[in-house]
Amino acid sequence: MTALVLVVLLAQETQPAAWPAHRKAADVASGVLVGANLAGATVEAWRAPDRKHALGCLALRNAIVYGATVTVKHTVSRWRPDRSDQMSFFSGHTAFAAVNQWTFSASIPITIGAGYGRAAAKRHYWTDIGVGAVVGFVSRKVCEY
């Protein structure tokens, strides 16, 4: 019964954050923000006392997020809000932004901005973004430096 209620709720989800006139800009901005977090995390790992371990952790975290994203997208097959394909669930951009945090004061707003950009570009629903953020945050716990 719970699964049925969840399916009905997900099917009725709307996109109040969409920017109809600036979808491309929102899409590009979300990608740039993900890149900013990845660059910051890479610099942090490079400067770590045990550089080899830190870079290995960074690679492992990103590999886990990539594998989870591809597996779930091909398993769930949820339509994107713009109906371009069935790869909406969950937001890989948000997951990658969340897993590549390097400093809390900068990375959290960057992750939120990347997720918002995906909604504004009509590429994801809010539940896609929320699940992507959780996957990214949890994947950080796999390996720490």
Side-chain angles (χ1 to χ4, degrees), residues 43-57:
V43 169
E44 178 189 45
W46 185 261
R47 292 180 177 168
D50 187 354
R51 180 181 299 163
K52 183 177 178 181
H53 174 73
L55 290 171
C57 279

Side-chain angles (χ1 to χ4, degrees), residues 6 11 16 23 26 35 38 49 54-56 60 78-80 92 101 108 113 119 127 140 144:
L6 184 61
R23 284 183 53 205
L38 178 58
L55 290 171
L60 177 62
R78 182 181 189 191
W79 283 102
R80 291 185 185 271
Q101 292 186 19
I108 293 298
T127 50
R140 286 188 54 79
E144 297 185 4

Side-chain angles (χ1 to χ4, degrees), residues 15-100:
Q15 272 312 94
W19 298 351
H22 303 289
R23 284 183 53 205
K24 182 65 177 171
D27 198 22
V28 169
S30 66
V32 168
L33 290 171
V34 171
N37 259 6
L38 178 58
T42 303
V43 169
E44 178 189 45
W46 185 261
R47 292 180 177 168
D50 187 354
R51 180 181 299 163
K52 183 177 178 181
H53 174 73
L55 290 171
C57 279
L58 183 64
L60 177 62
R61 292 174 183 173
N62 279 280
I64 289 168
V65 167
Y66 178 77
T69 302
V70 170
T71 301
V72 171
K73 283 181 180 285
H74 284 88
T75 303
V76 174
S77 297
R78 182 181 189 191
W79 283 102
R80 291 185 185 271
D82 66 359
R83 308 294 286 172
S84 61
D85 61 39
Q86 290 182 311
M87 302 290 234
S88 184
F89 190 80
F90 57 87
S91 173
H93 280 73
T94 308
F96 279 107
V99 78
N100 289 309

